[in-house]
Amino acid sequence: MTVIDAMIGDVRERAGNLWALTVGDGIRPERRTPHVVVGVGEHRTLLRFADDGARAAARVAGGTPVLLVPPIAAPATCYDLSEEYSMVRHFADTGRVPYVVDFGEIGFRDRRMGLEDFVLDIIPQAIARTVTDFYGADGAGDVDLVAWSLGGTLSFLTAGAVRRRIRSVTAVATPLDYMSLWGYPLAIAANRPTGGVLPSAVIGLAGGIPAPAVQLAYRATSWQRELKKPWFILQNLGETEKLARMEVINRFQRTFPGYPGRLTQQLWERLIYRGQLAAGLVRLDGVDVDLRSIDVPIQLFGSHRDALCTWRAARHGVDLFEGSPRVQFETIESSHLGLIAGPDAVERTWPAIDAFLDSLAPVGDPAAG
């Protein structure tokens, strides 16, 4: 190939990428890992990312299924972001059988949904469906819960309330002490004179936090990246792989759902303003959930580079989960999303989860924990 041929090829690649990002269909089409729909329902679709043969092999080998719980205001695709950064693909490739509960889109019509709907109904049903699908209708066994961000909060509340069919809980970048998050102490102090009712009233009138506001807030946490994006594109028009990775994140951000009104009020009033999450005793309607009594092994991840969950907020769980036979904390320096889907996740987070799960004995085994 001559120098002129190389220059012409480079110009074509740059022009093609510019066209794809502006008026075309994108650098690359979205690709999802093949999966099986195990159960359907409003805000509770359960997906299995392994075929029947892989499931049977894992069961014969004595494996334990992994149920991934997404955050409230992030799509379940966070665990299947791209072919390169797919946690479910990694689990399947390493012999595990991963399941994901998909909460779907959440809008104004869901404003009356609260923590109870997820903690006492949706996630326990997903656990039961996973157990039945993996072990068989007459089988018995447990699941490993793996979650990111607020998905970890939901998983811990479920483990504290349900207390069955859970072998372990892994939470990546889950804030467990809101007083250790930037801005929250100031917000709590500012609302002391009114008893914290003003934010709840605003949330109630709005019916929650709409999806566009959630998407904008997430982008604001990485405002430097957003400001530099046009220059990044111009600098890398000839770098198709870099632009494809950027496109994956952009698509992901555009699919963030909203927060339901009642749940958002509970997050503010109970978990944040009253500090019930950090104290370990969360009062839900009809049940008090004692996180300090969770008696299964727990793995936590934190980062000093995370703009949404500080290292201290994640590490608070080491002291909080006093009933657990083992609380393992991992420090991996990456962004909030990068901890589960990115180069740092591939190199460090996923192998650390593998090692933790491999180290666990079956529940009921004297060597467990």
Side-chain angles (χ1 to χ4, degrees), residues 29-58:
E30 289 187 85
R31 296 187 180 95
R32 295 285 173 246
T33 303
H35 57 268
V36 177
V37 178
V38 175
V40 296
E42 192 171 26
H43 305 305
R44 62 186 71 221
T45 299
L46 183 67
L47 309 174
R48 171 172 29 98
F49 290 81
D51 60 26
D52 293 344
R55 177 188 57 180

Side-chain angles (χ1 to χ4, degrees), residues 7-356:
M7 291 177 62
I8 293 174
D10 182 62
V11 170
R12 286 177 175 171
E13 183 175 21
R14 290 173 181 271
N17 287 338
L18 182 60
W19 174 271
L21 289 172
T22 53
V23 296
D25 296 326
I27 301 292
R28 287 179 184 158
E30 289 187 85
R31 296 187 180 95
R32 295 285 173 246
T33 303
H35 57 268
V36 177
V37 178
V38 175
V40 296
E42 192 171 26
H43 305 305
R44 62 186 71 221
T45 299
L46 183 67
L47 309 174
R48 171 172 29 98
F49 290 81
D51 60 26
D52 293 344
R55 177 188 57 180
R59 186 168 58 232
V60 170
T64 301
V66 176
L67 175 60
L68 293 105
V69 180
I72 297 293
T77 54
C78 62
Y79 299 123
D80 192 29
L81 204 60
S82 68
E83 290 181 309
E84 188 178 11
Y85 302 129
S86 171
M87 182 180 278
V88 290
R89 183 183 292 271
H90 166 77
F91 281 145
D93 287 347
T94 52
R96 303 191 195 281
V97 178
Y99 295 76
V100 175
V101 55
D102 189 345
F103 302 140
E105 294 185 6
I106 295 177
F108 183 77
R109 64 186 178 87
D110 304 304
R111 60 191 179 278
R112 292 185 175 85
M113 288 184 70
L115 286 169
E116 295 84 1
D117 292 285
F118 293 90
V119 172
L120 304 179
D121 180 18
I122 295 174
I123 298 176
Q125 183 187 65
I127 292 172
R129 282 174 166 175
T130 298
V131 168
T132 299
D133 182 75
F134 184 81
Y135 296 103
D138 300 323
D142 303 283
V143 305
D144 291 310
L145 295 183
V146 175
W148 173 55
S149 192
L150 284 176
T153 304
L154 297 179
S155 297
F156 286 128
L157 290 173
T158 301
V162 176
R163 296 181 173 281
R164 62 180 180 272
R165 297 298 189 209
I166 299 173
R167 185 177 74 148
S168 70
V169 181
T170 292
V172 181
T174 295
L176 295 167
D177 178 13
Y178 283 91
M179 289 297 286
S180 296
L181 297 182
W182 297 296
Y184 281 84
L186 180 60
I188 292 170
N191 282 278
R192 292 290 185 199
T194 61
V197 299
L198 182 58
S200 294
V202 173
I203 293 167
L205 289 173
I209 304 177
V214 174
Q215 295 163 15
L216 180 62
Y218 187 84
R219 285 190 172 93
T221 64
S222 55
W223 59 271
Q224 291 176 315
R225 174 183 177 272
E226 295 297 316
L227 289 176
K228 295 177 181 177
K229 189 183 298 181
W231 178 242
F232 176 85
I233 293 173
L234 290 174
Q235 279 187 313
N236 295 280
L237 276 177
E239 301 289 340
T240 303
E241 292 300 320
K242 286 186 179 181
L243 295 178
R245 288 194 291 269
M246 178 201 71
E247 185 179 53
V248 165
I249 296 175
N250 291 343
R251 283 173 174 166
F252 176 65
Q253 292 176 336
R254 290 197 296 267
T255 58
F256 276 36
Y259 280 90
R262 183 161 163 266
L263 183 144
T264 309
Q265 289 175 317
Q266 291 174 316
L267 287 176
W268 163 252
E269 293 175 359
R270 304 180 190 185
L271 276 60
I272 300 173
Y273 183 75
R274 299 179 191 172
Q276 292 182 3
L277 181 65
L281 184 61
V282 179
R283 288 184 166 81
L284 303 180
D285 292 349
V287 61
D288 287 347
V289 181
D290 188 353
L291 301 178
R292 300 163 301 186
S293 64
I294 295 176
D295 58 359
V296 299
I298 291 171
Q299 183 183 35
L300 303 169
F301 288 81
S303 167
H304 296 91
R305 290 172 46 199
D306 191 336
L308 292 177
C309 175
T310 64
W311 183 86
R312 286 183 58 195
R315 195 187 182 283
H316 180 71
V318 174
D319 300 318
L320 172 62
F321 299 115
E322 57 189 49
S324 170
R326 171 184 171 192
V327 180
Q328 183 171 314
F329 185 82
E330 312 277 356
T331 299
I332 295 177
E333 304 299 5
S334 189
S335 66
H336 196 64
L337 178 59
L339 280 167
I340 61 152
D344 298 319
V346 174
E347 294 176 12
R348 298 192 60 193
T349 305
W350 300 350
I353 295 175
D354 288 336
F356 174 74

